Amino acid sequence: MALQYGSPADLLPTNWKCQVTSWFAEDTPSYDYGGFVVGNAIRTATLYGKSRGVLAGVPFFDEIFAQADCTVKWHLQEGTLVEPNSAGKVAVATVTGPVRKLLLGERVALNTLSRCSAVATKSRDMDILVRKAGYKGILAGTRKTTPGFRLVEKYGMIVGGVDGHRHDLSSMIMLKDNHIWVRGSITEAVKAAKSVGGFALKVEVEVDSEEGADEAIAAGADIIMLDNFDGEGLKVAARSIKQRWQGKREFLLECSGGLTTDNVASYVNNGESDILLGNPLIGIDIDIISSSSIHQGVGHVDFSLKVDH
């Protein structure tokens, strides 16, 4: 988990604060009429956590209020599990500044924190689930993120303890069915990708059969995505592919497509059956499990910001 080695906030690019500015521009494109009502007296507000969840999105929350001329003091660390007390809430942070600015940043900050924490929570819950099932490989998200909000959602995955997968089209070359159909074959698509990606970019190919996987591996693909296989079919295919190519090529196998907390355990395969069959243990048959369910359609983590009175 990244939190063991440092602060995920240090990952953020130099231009990320511009996104916060754009959020304010969206929420207050003209006059702040409610702000006129309350004025600029210095007040303090308390951020309450009102539902279970992993706290994530601290740098975004901080920057929102910094741009609103307010300061934030956290009572819980990022990555902590927020658990409301018997009163139904727990104090997470206090924010101090002009009351008009507190309310100006309130909804933008709560929306961002709630969404990021929800992704982190689902990520951690899914990770715990697959580890309990015995999985030792990589659990990852996908690129199916909300336009304009990818940085926040990928950040939530990292705080939650899973792999964010590729962050954009420039991070890794992924060849899906449309690329292959247009280019004519898996082999030709991989050749074209490698001609521009060079040695620095990995090439991943999505396949729906063992034959497709073999062609992709032979062409030099680094990662093979077995897409939309059912649990047992995936285990059989993964074991067969790994055995067939053992000692010939190095590659990773990824499974994706329709994986949720309800069915992901059925896809777990650590290669133990090879021991039972009397064969040398090849290792983890499925190197990567990727699922968009950890960041799409996740339930929100409930926070509220109340001015002290």
Side-chain angles (χ1 to χ4, degrees):
M1 184 181 294
L3 289 171
Q4 294 176 280
Y5 301 99
S7 171
D10 294 337
L11 289 167
L12 295 171
T14 55
N15 63 343
W16 72 273
K17 295 180 181 180
C18 296
Q19 292 192 24
V20 174
T21 305
S22 71
W23 296 339
F24 273 117
E26 177 187 55
D27 203 44
T28 315
S30 183
Y31 295 124
D32 177 16
Y33 298 107
F36 171 81
V37 173
V38 298
N40 279 300
I42 301 300
R43 300 291 293 271
T44 295
T46 301
L47 172 70
Y48 292 105
K50 299 170 67 179
S51 65
R52 174 193 173 276
V54 175
L55 177 62
V58 165
F60 304 106
F61 191 93
D62 285 345
E63 180 60 22
I64 288 166
F65 281 110
Q67 291 193 23
D69 302 317
C70 300
T71 58
V72 181
K73 179 180 179 181
W74 291 93
H75 308 311
L76 297 177
Q77 290 186 325
E78 189 162 57
T80 300
L81 183 64
V82 177
E83 296 185 284
N85 56 29
S86 57
K89 61 183 180 180
V90 60
V92 177
T94 51
V95 188
T96 302
V99 66
R100 178 177 77 85
K101 298 293 188 68
L102 289 174
L103 301 185
L104 185 69
E106 175 190 11
R107 182 43 54 194
V108 177
L110 291 178
N111 287 352
T112 306
L113 192 69
S114 175
R115 178 66 180 165
C116 194
S117 296
V119 172
T121 304
K122 190 64 176 291
S123 297
R124 186 169 296 177
D125 288 348
M126 178 79 92
D127 190 60
I128 291 171
L129 183 66
V130 298
R131 302 309 168 198
K132 284 183 177 179
Y135 185 60
K136 300 177 179 65
I138 297 167
L139 176 63
T142 73
R143 198 170 60 89
K144 298 175 183 177
T145 52
T146 308
F149 220 55
R150 177 175 296 168
L151 198 66
V152 174
E153 293 173 356
K154 291 285 191 180
Y155 189 91
M157 295 179 216
I158 292 170
V159 173
V162 306
D163 193 300
H165 213 291
R166 63 172 180 162
H167 284 250
D168 48 55
L169 288 174
S170 302
S171 299
M172 180 175 70
I173 306 172
M174 183 179 289
L175 303 175
K176 300 174 77 67
D177 50 8
N178 284 320
H179 298 92
I180 294 162
W181 292 334
V182 171
R183 195 69 196 187
S185 72
I186 290 173
T187 301
E188 288 303 311
V190 172
K191 285 181 179 178
K194 284 186 169 291
S195 74
V196 290
F199 72 89
L201 287 180
K202 289 184 177 180
V203 175
E204 178 166 9
V205 179
E206 176 189 272
V207 301
D208 58 8
S209 68
E210 287 192 45
E211 293 75 19
D214 287 340
E215 183 180 352
I217 295 165
D222 303 287
I223 306 166
I224 311 301
M225 179 189 287
L226 304 175
D227 192 43
N228 289 314
F229 283 67
D230 63 35
E232 281 306 312
L234 175 72
K235 292 176 183 179
V236 171
R239 189 171 303 120
S240 174
I241 293 166
K242 282 290 182 80
Q243 288 178 339
R244 192 158 53 248
W245 287 93
Q246 186 180 17
K248 299 175 184 177
R249 292 279 180 127
E250 291 188 4
F251 59 91
L252 299 175
L253 284 183
E254 174 181 349
C255 72
S256 187
L259 300 174
T260 67
T261 52
D262 294 328
N263 66 12
V264 70
S266 69
Y267 287 79
V268 171
N269 189 3
N270 292 312
E272 281 84 353
S273 59
D274 291 295
I275 294 177
L276 299 177
L277 292 172
N279 298 327
L281 182 62
I282 293 174
I284 300 172
D285 292 331
I286 299 298
D287 303 285
I288 306 155
I289 294 175
S290 60
S291 174
S292 61
S293 70
I294 63 176
H295 53 87
Q296 282 190 321
V298 295
H300 73 290
V301 176
D302 192 9
F303 295 97
S304 66
L305 186 71
K306 297 300 180 183
V307 176
D308 296 347
H309 61 283

